[in-house]
Amino acid sequence: MTKKTLIIVSITIAILVFAGLLTSYIDSARARNSVEPKYTIKIVSDNGNKVTYWGLGYKVIRYPSVSPNEPYKNNRGVKYGNWFMKYQID
């Protein structure tokens, strides 16, 4: 690798890491406030009972309608973590 290529690759990686940290910070705050994440790709399961939002190095898993008897703010199970996180509500 030439020096110029190494610099370009380093800058690209630094920009991706910075963008990942910034979007992660914003979307984690949105998830804590029961608002849909903004900088993600939304994937709904086949039966519609699980929604996964994939971001840059993180994901948010949401289970709508956990229990109709719960208060509104607790009506959905939401978990925020890295790409390898597994979460399931019984």
Side-chain angles (χ1 to χ4, degrees), residues 23-84:
T23 59
S24 173
Y25 177 75
I26 292 169
D27 283 342
S28 67
R30 291 176 66 89
R32 278 192 307 268
N33 294 322
S34 298
V35 179
E36 187 176 36
K38 190 173 188 177
Y39 302 106
T40 57
I41 297 171
K42 181 179 179 180
I43 298 174
V44 181
S45 66
D46 292 337
N47 56 6
N49 66 351
K50 177 181 172 185
V51 180
T52 306
Y53 301 92
W54 291 86
L56 211 83
Y58 62 95
K59 71 179 176 180
V60 179
I61 299 176
R62 178 175 67 95
Y63 286 89
S65 302
V66 174
S67 171
N69 299 326
E70 294 283 330
Y72 178 75
K73 67 179 183 176
N74 296 334
N75 200 21
R76 293 179 276 163
V78 177
K79 185 72 173 177
Y80 176 88
N82 62 20
W83 281 345
F84 307 107

